Every structure is written in structure tokens, then in C-alpha cells.
Amino acid sequence: MPEFPSFLEIAEKALNTTGKPMSTSEIWTLAKEMKWKTDSVGQTPWATIAAQIYMSIKTNPRTPFRQVSKRPTRFALTLWEDTSERGTSV
């Protein structure tokens, strides 16, 4: 049985690919366009991505993610804090 990347791995890969903050629906759209394989069978994978990113931010002090805006909610990589700001602040 092949191993598929987790939703968090897909989110990190999408953010690295675009180099800019993204919403979870944008992350999922890119994943589909790039044909990144997942084991997702749910009807709202972007909601699952959001839930997993939120939990990572809340529970993992070394998370690669941070929320940079609300309405629309966009996420960026924490390593971008050390370079020029690539999105708007919360």
C-alpha cells in the first residue's frame, strides 16, 4: 500500500511552492492541479487542512505554520518571519 503525504505535508509543500500566504481552499486547489496524491476521501478536504493547521499552531511550538490574515484566513510558513514579510499580519 503506497504512503500518501499528510495534509500538513501538502500544506507545507504548497506554501513552499507558491512562496506566498494561502487559504486552505487555495492549498487544496493547488494540490489537485499538481496531482499530489492524498488518501483523502472526504467531501471537504480544505476544512481538514484548516483543522490540522490550527491544531499544529496550537499544540506544536515548532510548527512550520502561522496564520497571517483573517477573512480570508491565510496561512504562511513561520520561516518567512525571518525574511521579508510575504503577507499581511493578523
Side-chain angles (χ1 to χ4, degrees):
M1 184 172 191
E3 266 191 51
F4 296 104
S6 71
F7 282 121
L8 290 177
E9 291 168 333
I10 286 173
E12 188 171 6
K13 186 175 182 177
L15 291 167
N16 274 317
T17 298
T18 63
K20 64 179 187 176
M22 300 175 76
S23 70
T24 55
S25 61
E26 292 168 333
I27 291 168
W28 182 247
T29 299
L30 180 63
K32 288 192 316 185
E33 288 172 359
M34 301 295 283
K35 297 183 174 34
W36 295 336
K37 301 292 183 193
T38 70
D39 58 356
S40 172
V41 294
Q43 293 184 351
T44 57
W46 55 90
T48 303
I49 292 170
Q52 289 187 7
I53 291 174
Y54 281 124
M55 285 305 297
S56 178
I57 291 169
K58 182 177 179 177
T59 63
N60 180 1
R62 302 190 74 167
T63 184
F65 305 103
R66 66 187 177 105
Q67 183 177 345
V68 294
S69 70
K70 295 181 182 180
R71 296 182 189 246
T73 300
R74 294 193 187 279
F75 298 98
L77 296 174
T78 55
L79 64 92
W80 295 348
E81 288 180 314
D82 297 332
T83 60
S84 64
E85 187 67 33
R86 297 184 186 205
T88 57
S89 296
V90 175

